[in-house]
Each structure stands twice: as structure tokens, then as C-alpha cells.
């Protein structure tokens, strides 16, 4: 069963009724869905198929005579920047500006060293908003969840800086402001209850 | 003299959206359209690379989920206004009723002014971003994404090997 966010995708379909398009007949321009009649504008592209330029060792010539470490018949076209083995075009993997062999790519991806292979992240903006909301809704909880919301807001801003995000920072800043308000509100409520009691006790 | 390390690639936020179970943010980067789908405390990132895009569409749609939510809220607040009115607090009822009217008006606006959705279909996944009251921005995003896809696919076609492609070798014979 596919997990959340990994819904099955069976190619382009109508954006309204999800009826699959017949791509052989679909052209650029204004179109109508044959099933639901939705009018939409489409631009059709024909992406080139990826092909690897695999040469045999004998056909590659004297200068490119090294064989791939995994495919002995294939001429090497690069070497792994991590382990240094020779690779043919089939084995060469480009990731985050580095040329790697399949084994090193797998290892670095599993370690989390390759940023582009990371697809799961903590949603700090959402966490900051949840902490703020709990601070508003539950009496005195803002004293704990408010500072937590501010912390998550800072983490969210740092995450956005790391990713080079342009736009969307107001959500994090808004969550931090809400968290501060929740803290102040909880503190004020606590003070409003405690101060008169303490004054009465002092008398 | 040392050269500064290259910074992270820039991502521009195109739009945000939410449904019953998740929230999502769509970003434009130099090589792909990225969808950050957050459900709970975890965010899952999907990418549709420009050199794999098959189709880009733009269409108008009614934002029903928010319209229904606004309608339900208007009914609830209207009901509260009725209860307040029965308690002989006329000004209070008028105030609460005004809020209900505002919500109902927003619902009508949401239904009458359609959203513009731009959908990017790749070979393996798709991303949709919607715009309400920003038709011009939707158009600009549609055009910009199409231009980026065209550029990426043209340069990918130029990089294709011209040499004859050999089949990968099979299992070694012992």
C-alpha cells in the first residue's frame, strides 16, 4: 500500500475528473476534457529519453582503454570522487555536483550526506503553529509551549536559509509572534490569579 | 585568494494549499518544481524535474473545500446570532449577524471568483499550484514554467550522445 504523499501516478490526467489523457492526441493549445468537458490550456512537451553513451573497451580507442570496475566490457568514462574506481556511463551517478559510483551513492544517501536525496524533513513551521495554538487553547500551557513555538520558529527560519527559500518566511515569523503572545497571555493569566492571592496572604 | 563556497540553490515559493489531511507548499527551483507536503510533523518532498515534464496545464476551478467551510461557519455564526437575538441582546445579535454575513459573502466570492490552477505533469509525478484573486500571477507562473521546461529539455537534447548506443553487457559467462 503506498504511503501518504506517494499516491500512485499513472501519467497525465484531467485536473478535474482525473480521466487519463491520450497523450498521442493531446496537443498544445486550448483543450477540452472528453470526459468532463473541462476547458484548459495545455503545453505539450516531448522530453528526450535518457540514454547512456556506453562504449566497449575495444571500440573506445587507446586513450579510453580503462574498463569499468563493474562492467568489464564497458570503457570507463569517469571515476568515483569518493572511492576512485573507474565507471562506465551506466554506473556514473551525478548527485549534488559530485560524480559517484552506485555503491558510494547508495552509502552516502543512506547516511544522509547527499542533500538532494533527502525527501523527509521535520515541518518546523507547522510545529511552531501547533505549539502556539496549544498555548492559546490550554490554560497556562503557553508558558511551556510558547517558548517552544519560538524555538521551532527559529529552526524553521534556519531551515529556510539552508534551503535558500525565497518567500514564505512570514509563516514562521507569524508563528513566533503567536507563540510570544501565547506566553504573555499565559503569564498574565497566572499573574492575575497568583498576585491577589499572594497579596491576601501577605495581609 | 579563496573563492566562496556556492550557497544553496534558491527556491521561490509559488503557492501554498491545504486539504483535510495535509498542507503543501510548491516551490520553483533551477532544475525542478518542488512540492513539500506536510502531514503531521513530517514533510515529504517531491520533485518534478523540468527535463522530465510531459505536460503543463492551466485551468480555472472553484475552490469548494474553503467555500463549504466558510458556508458551514456562516451557518454556525448565524445560528449563534439567532440565539443572541432570542436573549433580547439586539446589538450583540447584530454584531454576530454581521460576522455571519461577512462569512457568507466570502463564501459567495469564493464560488463566483474562480481559482487558477497550474499543473505540471512529469513522467513520474505531478505538482499543482492554485492561485485565488491572482490570475496574472498564475499566468506568469504558467509561462515561466513552460519557458524553463523548454530550456531544460533543449539543453538536455543537446547533451544527448551522438555515438551509437551499445546495449549494456549481460551476465558474465563463466
Amino acid at each position: 500500500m503506498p504511503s501518504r504523499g506517494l499516491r500512485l501516478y499513472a501519467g497525465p490526467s484531467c485536473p478535474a475528473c482525473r480521466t487519463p489523457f491520450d497523450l498521442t492526441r493531446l496537443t498544445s493549445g486550448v483543450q477540452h476534457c472528453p470526459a468532463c468537458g473541462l476547458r484548459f490550456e495545455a503545453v505539450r512537451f516531448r522530453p528526450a529519453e535518457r540514454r547512456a553513451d556506453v562504449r566497449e573497451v575495444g571500440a573506445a580507442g587507446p586513450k579510453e582503454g580503462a574498463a569499468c570496475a563493474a562492467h568489464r566490457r564497458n570503457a570507463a568514462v569517469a571515476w568515483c570522487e569518493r572511492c576512485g574506481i573507474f565507471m562506465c556511463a551506466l554506473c556514473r551517478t551525478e548527485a549534488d555536483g559530485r560524480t559517484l559510483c552506485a555503491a558510494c551513492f547508495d552509502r552516502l544517501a543512506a547516511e544522509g550526506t547527499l542533500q538532494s536525496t533527502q525527501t523527509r524533513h521535520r515541518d518546523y513551521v507547522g510545529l511552531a503553529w501547533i505549539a502556539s495554538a496549544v498555548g492559546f487553547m490550554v490554560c497556562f500551557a503557553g508558558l511551556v509551549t510558547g517558548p517552544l513555538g519560538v524555538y521551532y520558529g527559529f529552526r524553521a527560519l534556519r531551515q529556510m536559509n539552508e534551503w535558500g527559500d525565497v518567500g514564505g518566511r512570514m509563516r514562521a515569523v507569524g508563528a513566533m509572534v503567536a507563540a510570544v503572545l501565547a506566553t504573555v497571555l499565559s503569564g498574565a493569566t497566572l499573574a492575575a490569579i497568583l498576585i491577589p492571592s499572594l497579596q491576601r496572604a501577605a495581609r | 585568494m579563496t573563492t566562496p563556497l556556492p550557497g544553496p540553490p534558491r527556491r521561490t515559493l509559488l503557492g501554498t494549499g491545504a486539504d483535510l489531511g495535509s498542507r503543501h507548499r510548491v516551490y520553483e527551483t533551477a532544475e525542478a518544481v518542488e512540492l513539500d507536503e506536510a502531514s503531521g510533523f513530517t514533510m515529504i518532498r517531491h520533485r518534478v524535474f523540468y527535463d522530465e515534464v510531459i505536460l503543463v496545464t492551466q485551468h480555472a476551478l472553484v475552490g469548494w473545500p474553503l467555500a463549504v467551510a466558510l458556508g458551514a461557519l456562516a451557518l454556525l455564526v448565524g445560528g449563534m446570532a439567532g440565539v443572541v437575538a432570542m436573549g433580547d441582546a439586539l446589538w450583540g445579535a447584530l454584531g454576530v449577524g454581521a460576522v455571519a454575513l461577512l462569512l457568507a459573502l466570502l463564501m459567495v466570492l469564493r464560488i463566483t471568483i474562480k481559482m487558477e490552477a497550474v499543473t505540471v505533469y512529469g513522467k513520474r509525478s505531478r505538482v499543482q499550484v492554485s492561485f485565488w484573486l491572482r490570475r496574472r500571477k498564475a499566468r506568469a507562473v504558467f509561462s515561466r514554467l513552460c519557458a524553463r521546461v523548454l530550456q531544460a529539455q533543449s539543453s538536455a537534447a543537446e547533451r544527448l550522445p551522438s555515438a551509437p548506443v551499445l546495449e549494456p553487457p549481460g551476465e558474465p559467462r563463466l
Side-chain angles (χ1 to χ4, degrees):
Chain A
M1 192 179 138
S3 65
R4 275 196 71 79
L6 290 173
R7 296 181 198 105
L8 290 175
Y9 174 72
S13 57
C14 171
C17 69
R18 309 274 182 200
T19 305
F21 287 137
D22 181 5
L23 284 176
T24 54
R25 297 171 66 182
L26 192 71
T27 54
S28 296
V30 177
Q31 305 284 331
H32 291 86
C33 172
C36 69
L38 175 83
R39 182 181 173 278
F40 62 95
E41 188 172 349
V43 179
R44 176 89 166 89
F45 295 95
R46 285 173 179 78
E49 290 296 323
R50 284 173 192 269
R51 289 187 302 172
D53 183 14
V54 183
R55 291 167 191 240
E56 286 193 344
V57 176
K63 284 187 180 176
E64 300 174 66
C68 170
H71 304 103
R72 292 287 173 197
R73 284 173 58 192
N74 293 354
V77 292
W79 61 87
C80 175
E81 288 182 19
R82 185 166 176 270
C83 68
I85 63 159
F86 288 117
M87 300 176 288
C88 67
L90 289 177
C91 300
R92 185 171 60 184
T93 309
E94 305 277 350
D96 291 352
R98 298 175 73 181
T99 305
L100 300 165
C101 66
C104 286
F105 174 82
D106 285 347
R107 185 167 292 186
L108 291 178
E111 285 173 1
T113 315
L114 295 173
Q115 199 196 348
S116 60
T117 59
Q118 295 293 304
T119 53
R120 279 181 178 269
H121 303 275
R122 185 69 62 88
D123 181 22
Y124 286 112
V125 179
L127 280 170
W129 275 111
I130 288 168
S132 308
V134 170
F136 276 112
M137 288 188 292
V138 182
C139 202
F140 309 131
L143 290 172
V144 178
T145 60
L148 202 63
V150 173
Y151 166 74
Y152 283 138
F154 272 116
R155 290 293 301 262
L157 287 174
R158 206 166 75 181
Q159 198 178 45
M160 287 173 186
N161 282 337
E162 281 170 12
W163 291 340
D165 285 4
V166 179
R169 276 161 211 272
M170 285 312 290
R171 288 166 164 266
V173 174
M176 286 162 76
V177 170
V180 169
L181 286 177
T183 313
V184 170
L185 192 69
S186 293
T189 313
L190 192 66
I193 293 168
L194 281 183
I195 289 171
S197 315
L198 289 173
Q199 281 175 343
R200 252 180 270 130
R203 275 181 216 147
Chain B
M1 191 179 152
T2 55
T3 50
L5 286 169
R10 291 171 79 86
R11 307 196 306 166
T12 308
L13 184 70
L14 293 181
T16 60
D19 54 33
L20 284 175
S22 64
R23 308 171 301 282
H24 60 264
R25 285 168 238 154
V26 179
Y27 295 88
E28 177 187 351
T29 70
E31 58 179 10
V33 185
E34 286 187 356
L35 170 72
D36 282 354
E37 193 174 14
S39 52
F41 308 131
T42 312
M43 195 160 64
I44 297 170
R45 182 166 297 162
H46 308 266
R47 292 189 181 96
V48 178
F49 290 95
Y50 297 133
D51 58 356
E52 289 188 350
V53 169
I54 299 171
L55 186 70
V56 182
T57 64
Q58 185 186 357
H59 73 285
L61 78 161
V62 178
W64 283 112
L66 186 60
V68 170
L70 283 168
L73 209 59
L75 278 177
L76 187 76
V77 178
M80 282 165 62
V83 171
V84 174
M86 280 192 289
D88 290 339
L90 186 66
W91 287 108
L94 278 176
V96 179
V99 174
L101 201 67
L102 189 72
L103 288 168
L105 190 71
L106 276 175
M107 183 196 70
V108 171
L109 278 177
R110 185 73 176 179
I111 293 170
T112 48
I113 304 174
K114 289 188 171 179
M115 297 170 76
E116 289 291 323
V118 176
T119 315
V120 182
Y121 298 90
K123 284 181 181 173
R124 297 172 289 169
S125 56
R126 65 162 213 150
V127 169
Q128 190 176 73
V129 56
S130 307
F131 303 90
W132 191 48
L133 301 172
R134 290 179 297 166
R135 194 183 171 87
R136 202 172 289 177
K137 185 177 180 186
R139 192 69 201 167
V141 166
F142 176 72
S143 306
R144 198 168 64 239
L145 289 180
C146 287
R148 274 186 182 274
V149 170
L150 197 65
Q151 191 186 14
Q153 295 191 0
S154 303
S155 54
E158 284 169 15
R159 284 199 309 266
L160 271 180
S162 54
V165 179
L166 302 177
E167 287 297 314
E171 290 294 313
R173 285 182 200 157
L174 298 173

